[in-house]
Amino acid sequence: NSRKKMKRLSSLLLVIFPWIVFAGCSANDDEVPILMIYPFVRATVAGQSSAAGYIEFHSSKAVKLVKVSSPQAGSVQIHTMSHDNGIMRMSELPALDIPAGKTIKLEPGHMHFMLVDLKAPLRADDDATLSFTFEFADKSTLQLNALAEIRAN
């Protein structure tokens, strides 16, 4: 249906080209320096209470991702993965540093965000609403929103 395709295109443009949307926003009177690229979340099945999500961040300034939230989940956590004696371990990060001029990828098998205590199953081809809160060196914050495609596993 064309309405759903238009919604997807609009959300894609908002995320891939955030400067179009946020050019009038500022953090300390500077242009918003953060790009959020290719967000997606894994679809779930009935009874599954969490889902992994992935995204790329690029920032022209050093910034810290301090919070992620979604109305579709009780909470959202930022996780890192590590190998310990052949066992993959996942641990929650209190924040994620995004160095100036660098791209940080949250991707399968590595860092990711986890939607926890889902309020309903996430169905493929729908969208997940996400809100990302960033903190700058001077402790000012900026909240950016994105629609992430929900993909089949």
Side-chain angles (χ1 to χ4, degrees), residues 53-74:
Y54 311 97
I55 191 169
E56 294 179 23
F57 297 105
H58 183 84
S59 181
S60 61
K61 292 183 175 185
V63 66
K64 189 179 290 192
L65 176 63
V66 295
K67 182 179 180 185
V68 184
S69 61
S70 172
Q72 291 153 294

Side-chain angles (χ1 to χ4, degrees), residues 48-109:
Q48 189 175 341
S49 63
S50 62
Y54 311 97
I55 191 169
E56 294 179 23
F57 297 105
H58 183 84
S59 181
S60 61
K61 292 183 175 185
V63 66
K64 189 179 290 192
L65 176 63
V66 295
K67 182 179 180 185
V68 184
S69 61
S70 172
Q72 291 153 294
S75 66
V76 181
Q77 302 170 353
I78 306 164
H79 287 173
T80 187
M81 303 290 287
S82 62
H83 293 276
D84 184 19
N85 293 326
I87 299 171
M88 179 84 71
R89 300 206 186 271
M90 183 170 58
S91 56
E92 185 177 359
L93 296 174
L96 177 64
D97 289 318
I98 303 168
K102 301 288 183 184
T103 297
I104 301 296
K105 294 181 180 184
L106 280 65
E107 57 190 354

Side-chain angles (χ1 to χ4, degrees), residues 8-66:
R8 177 79 29 111
L9 177 61
S10 296
S11 66
L12 182 65
L13 290 174
L14 288 175
V15 174
I16 293 178
F17 303 109
W19 59 87
I20 293 171
V21 177
F22 301 111
C25 297
S26 64
N28 298 331
D29 299 323
D30 293 331
E31 228 177 83
V32 175
I34 303 162
L35 294 178
M36 301 186 308
I37 307 163
Y38 309 123
F40 73 96
V41 174
R42 295 281 187 209
T44 61
V45 295
Q48 189 175 341
S49 63
S50 62
Y54 311 97
I55 191 169
E56 294 179 23
F57 297 105
H58 183 84
S59 181
S60 61
K61 292 183 175 185
V63 66
K64 189 179 290 192
L65 176 63
V66 295

Side-chain angles (χ1 to χ4, degrees), residues 112-150:
H112 60 277
F113 58 89
M114 185 71 74
L115 286 82
V116 180
D117 296 326
L118 292 172
K119 297 177 181 177
L122 301 178
R123 292 181 170 76
D125 298 323
D126 282 346
D127 293 312
T129 302
L130 301 166
S131 180
F132 298 88
T133 303
F134 300 91
E135 182 180 274
F136 294 89
D138 66 359
K139 302 297 182 193
S140 64
T141 60
L142 175 68
Q143 181 177 313
L144 299 177
N145 301 313
L147 289 175
E149 177 186 6
I150 299 172

